[in-house]
Amino acid sequence: MSAQPLRYGLIGAGMMGREHIRNLGLIPGSELVAIADPSAEQVALSIAEAGRHLGQSPRGHATPEAMLAADPLDCVVIASPNDTHIAVLETVLRHRPGLGILVEKPVVTRLADCGRLEAMATGHPRPIWVAMEYRYMPPVAELRRAVSAGEIGTLRMFAIREHRFPFLEKVGDWNRFSERTGGTLVEKCCHFFDLMRLVVGSEPVRVYASGAADVNHRDERYDGRVPDILDNAFVIVDFANGCRASLDLCMFAEGSWFQEEIAATGDAAKIEVFIPGPARFWPGGAERDSEVVVSPRVPKGPVRRKVHVDEAILKAGDHHGSTYFQHLGFRAAMLENGPVDVTLADGLQAVRIGLAAEESARTGQSIRLDAFG
């Protein structure tokens, strides 16, 4: 890939913002020009991260408006808290309509903002890419390839299990309440609903979810309030083509060897991927290779293989290398007229499914997507 310079502005200097910085440091031609965040402490930490990984000293700003007015940019990465995305996007689209945009998931947190953002972004001339990193994990990419190639026959069932660590501490504790995150099934799981749509190749028609806040954050108080975010759930999604998908989420299972287990089952075979969690959460580290297992119905006998990802890419973030591969795609869209893999429409549909799942978990009723909202 060309090392042609691409000038970035980063909006949001927290944990995910610094993961983006580390991954840009692995891609020649990345120039981080400026960082905007209301926290001077977070800006300073991110500038230091840029020095270590990019050898650059981006300018710091307290607001996106100040950055957009002052700095020469080609694109922005938006990694601010979930509920700020809509306002930040509006600012970028209004003040700098020529910029490419990579915006973290979920792209919005409220149903009302889906149509609002669609209208705002109509006619935007540059790529708008929603950061659905899980598409780009190498073992998931292999599963996608095998399903698309017909290696499992006709896909009938698609299952995702994520058993992982609790939500981490964030600046201002913004991720402790659904009013700011959209709810766990939006904040965390829009990744998975996006992956379901992508692999199944159809649109959802009905969602049913059961979930609760049973273990995590029960002893925390914020202005006297107990966090309301779900920490476990089952979700079933029915698709228009007759395929069905499921999600099994548990966020108090950080002792699991594999963090994600994903299975696509067709009428000829099943393919599974097993992905370990971030090594930094295991004392002494853990094996970093993921596994892909193909199990044909005839002849019986699974075929197993490891999927290795370069250690430098793994160390750049907590998403099994996917942030790096996503940035390669975004760069190609910006500089080489490559495709936008995860469009704004994709990001908004994942939010709608997540919000429907949250509503189903709250009410105990299945939700038809054509009547939701």
Side-chain angles (χ1 to χ4, degrees):
M1 179 170 286
S2 168
Q4 178 181 345
L6 188 62
R7 300 171 298 180
Y8 290 82
L10 174 64
I11 301 173
M15 186 180 299
M16 194 62 211
R18 289 193 283 279
E19 179 166 326
H20 282 290
I21 291 171
R22 292 191 296 273
N23 280 275
L24 289 175
L26 298 174
I27 302 173
S30 301
E31 296 184 5
L32 184 57
V33 175
I35 299 172
D37 194 289
S39 168
E41 179 183 3
Q42 295 302 310
V43 169
L45 289 171
S46 292
I47 290 174
E49 196 86 335
R52 285 190 292 270
H53 294 277
L54 285 156
Q56 298 168 8
S57 298
R59 288 178 289 276
H61 300 279
T63 67
E65 291 86 350
M67 182 181 78
L68 295 171
D71 292 297
L73 303 171
D74 299 309
C75 57
V76 293
V77 175
I78 300 172
S80 55
N82 297 358
D83 59 330
T84 69
H85 290 175
I86 184 70
V88 172
L89 284 162
E90 185 173 21
T91 297
V92 174
L93 292 167
R94 182 193 305 126
H95 291 288
R96 294 288 293 275
L99 296 182
I101 299 170
L102 174 63
V103 56
E104 267 300 330
K105 60 78 190 169
V107 62
V108 294
T109 59
R110 301 186 306 163
L111 200 59
D113 288 334
C114 291
R116 179 183 166 199
L117 180 54
E118 285 174 322
M120 279 194 295
T122 298
H124 185 70
R126 302 296 282 156
I128 301 178
W129 185 303
V130 182
M132 295 294 190
E133 289 95 346
Y134 280 73
R135 289 181 175 215
Y136 300 98
M137 290 181 175
V140 175
E142 172 58 18
L143 179 146
R144 292 170 52 197
R145 185 207 60 76
V147 173
S148 295
E151 292 181 10
I152 64 168
T154 300
L155 178 67
R156 295 299 185 188
M157 302 177 71
F158 186 56
I160 301 172
R161 170 182 288 171
E162 182 174 61
H163 284 196
R164 57 160 279 169
F165 51 91
F167 281 122
L168 302 175
E169 293 183 5
K170 297 292 182 77
V171 177
D173 306 302
W174 66 266
N175 64 341
R176 291 310 197 247
F177 293 95
S178 296
E179 64 191 22
R180 296 204 63 190
T181 67
T184 298
L185 300 180
V186 175
E187 203 287 330
K188 180 69 204 74
C189 300
C190 61
H191 277 306
F192 300 130
F193 300 132
D194 172 70
L195 192 59
M196 289 177 184
R197 289 181 63 240
L198 182 68
V199 174
V200 169
S202 182
E203 292 298 333
V205 295
R206 183 170 47 248
V207 177
Y208 175 72
S210 175
D214 287 326
V215 176
N216 296 340
H217 319 303
R218 297 294 83 201
D219 58 347
E220 298 177 13
R221 299 293 183 274
Y222 302 93
D223 295 326
R225 301 168 64 201
V226 180
D228 66 353
I229 46 175
L230 304 180
D231 60 17
N232 68 100
F234 292 112
V235 184
I236 296 172
V237 183
D238 292 331
F239 285 85
N241 66 356
C243 193
R244 60 189 53 83
S246 67
L247 170 66
D248 167 1
L249 176 74
C250 180
M251 298 190 68
F252 45 88
E254 59 266 46
S256 303
W257 184 264
F258 293 113
Q259 181 168 292
E260 286 92 16
E261 303 175 27
I262 304 173
T265 306
D267 53 14
K270 175 174 69 172
I271 182 169
E272 301 168 274
V273 299
F274 300 89
I275 306 168
R280 70 188 179 99
F281 295 117
W282 283 75
E287 182 178 339
R288 303 298 300 250
D289 286 345
S290 53
E291 288 188 343
V292 175
V293 181
V294 180
S295 304
R297 296 177 71 190
V298 180
K300 293 182 176 63
V303 177
R304 309 174 69 101
R305 67 182 179 85
K306 301 284 189 180
V307 177
H308 179 71
V309 180
D310 185 271
E311 189 65 23
I313 296 173
L314 291 175
K315 286 181 177 178
D318 292 334
H319 298 90
H320 205 73
S322 55
T323 303
Y324 169 79
F325 294 108
Q326 172 183 261
H327 269 290
L328 292 182
F330 179 71
R331 180 180 177 83
M334 287 293 300
L335 296 176
E336 303 168 16
N337 200 32
V340 175
D341 288 347
V342 194
T343 65
L344 183 59
D346 291 327
L348 291 171
Q349 186 70 327
V351 167
R352 291 185 180 104
I353 300 168
L355 288 170
E358 286 279 336
E359 179 70 5
S360 178
R362 186 183 68 82
T363 64
Q365 303 297 312
S366 65
I367 305 295
R368 285 197 61 87
L369 268 297
D370 60 1
F372 183 58

